[in-house]
Amino acid sequence: MQNKPKLRFPAKFLWGASVSAHQVEGGNHNQWSVWELEHAKAKAAQAPHVWNDLEHWPDIKNEATKPENYVSGMAVDHFNRYEEDFDWVKKMRMNAFRFSVEWSRIEPEEGAWNAAAIEHYKKYVAALRKRNIEPMVTLFHFTLPVWFAAKGGFEKRANVKYFTRFAEKIVSELGIDIRYVITINEPEIYATESYLRGNWPPMKMSKRSTLSVLNNLAYAHNKAADAIHKLNRRYKVSVAKHSSFIYPGDDAVLSRKSAAIMQYLRDDWFLKKVTKRCDFLGVNYYASDRIYGYRMHNPNERLSDLGWDMSPGDIQFVLERLYRKYKLPIIVTENGLADAGDEHRSWWLTQTLLGMQGAMKEGVELEGYFHWSLVDNFEWDKGFWPRFGLLEVDRTAMKRRPRPSAVKLARVLNSLQE
Ligand code: BGC
C-alpha cells in the first residue's frame, strides 16, 4: 500500500474494522455451536475432497483435516480480551468498530434476560466510547438462541416478534451510547447457505423455506427498525447487505440480460423491501462476478486463500450502482480477504481506497469503511484456517500481532488525519 496516496476523505469519515460475536468471542452456546459439535468430524474428513484444488492446500491441510478446526470453542477469546482489541483499533488510527451482540447470551431462555450479559455489552460499548471509537452494533449475525431455532427460527413469520423484542431490549439497554444499528447481516447469504444450499444450520435445501426466510428477515428488519426509531428517531439503522458487482463478460444480449437479472435477484429484490426503513445503506463487498451467457466465469488473475477472485477496485461500481438506485448514504460495513501470508492485503486496501474515492468523486455519499476483519476468526463452516485478520492471532497464547498490511494501513489513516 502506498504510504502517501493522493487520497481525500472527509474528517468525519468512519474508519473501522468489523467482527461478529460468534466468530471471535468464544464460549458461546447457540444453534451454531450445537451444529459444530455434530458435524466437526465429518467436515474434517471431507476437507481433502472439498479444498484440495486450492493452491494453498499443502499449507492448510493440517488444520483443515482436524475436527477442532470446525469447533468455535474459545474462538480468539475476544469476550475477555476486548479491551486489548480496542487498543489495537486505536493504534491502527481507526475511529469506529462494528461488532454483534450475541442474542443467545442476552436471552438464553425464552423471555429470560441475562443481566450479566447485558452488563457485559454495556461495559464493552463504554470501553469503545472511552477510546473515542464509534460503535456500530449488529443484532443478527447468523447465530440464534437454541430455543428460537427450535421454534423454527426465521422460517416462521410468527417468530419475528421475538427478534423485535430482543432488538428493542438491547438497544434500549445500550441507550444513547450507540448510534449505528445493523439489524440483519447479509440476509440473502444466510437464507441461501442455511435453507437452499444446506451448508449451514439447519441445513435445509428448500426453495420455499428460503423464500419464507428472506421475506421474514425483511419483515424483521422493518419491525425492528420501527421499534428502534420509536425509542429515539436519531438511531441510524440499516441492514448489512452483501453486494457483488455482477457484469457481462461480453456484449451478447444473453450475458447482459443474465447479469442484470442476477444483480436484481441478489440485491434489489431484498433491498426494495427494506430501504424505506434504512437511514443509510450498509454494504459488504467481497467479490465481483463476470457473466457469460448463463454462466459465471471470473478472470481469476488473483485468488484469495479461499479461491475467491479478487477485484477490490470494483467496489466503486457497487457503490455507484447502489447509490444511484437508493439515494441513501452508504457505509461499507465489511470488506476484506482471506490471506494468511498477507501477500495481497496491502494491494487490496489500496485498490479499495481508490475505488471508494472514485465513487465519492462521482457523487456517492460514502460515510465509512469497516474492514473485515480486525482479528483472525472463526469462518463459519470452514473453521479457523481462512485468515481475514488485520491482526494475526496465535490461538495457543491468544496473542495478537499486526500483519504488515495493518501497519501500512495505520500509516495511511494517520496521514489522512493530518
Ligand atoms: C460475513 C462474515 C464472514 C465474511 C467472510 C461475510 O459474508 O458477514 O461473517 O466472515 O463474510 O466470509
Side-chain angles (χ1 to χ4, degrees), residues 11 15 19 32 39 57 95 103 108 180 226 261 275-276 298 311 341 353 356 399 418:
W15 290 106
V19 296
W32 205 290
H39 294 274
W57 172 245
N95 59 4
W103 184 5
Y180 293 91
D226 282 350
I261 291 170
T275 39
K276 280 204 184 80
N298 280 325
S311 308
L353 265 57
M356 294 196 304
K399 216 176 145 25
E418 273 166 3

Side-chain angles (χ1 to χ4, degrees), residues 212-282:
S212 308
V213 170
L214 279 169
N215 278 313
N216 292 338
L217 287 174
Y219 180 68
H221 166 81
N222 290 334
K223 283 288 185 191
D226 282 350
I228 294 165
H229 281 145
K230 221 163 146 194
L231 292 171
N232 191 331
R233 191 58 195 84
R234 287 175 60 200
Y235 284 118
K236 290 177 185 279
V237 184
S238 176
V239 292
K241 181 69 185 72
H242 182 279
S243 184
S244 309
F245 175 59
I246 306 176
Y247 63 101
D250 58 23
D251 243 2
V253 179
L254 185 60
S255 307
R256 283 189 281 138
K257 275 236 159 9
S258 318
I261 291 170
M262 279 186 212
Q263 190 86 66
Y264 174 83
L265 291 176
R266 284 211 230 153
D267 282 4
D268 305 308
W269 183 86
F270 187 87
L271 282 174
K272 280 189 171 168
K273 297 176 194 289
V274 296
T275 39
K276 280 204 184 80
R277 287 188 180 78
C278 285
D279 302 295
F280 68 99
L281 193 56

Side-chain angles (χ1 to χ4, degrees), residues 155 191 194-198 204-211:
E155 221 181 318
S194 292
Y195 291 90
L196 188 66
R197 298 205 182 112
K204 275 208 171 181
M205 291 170 89
S206 148
K207 283 189 188 138
R208 210 166 149 192
S209 302
T210 309
L211 262 184

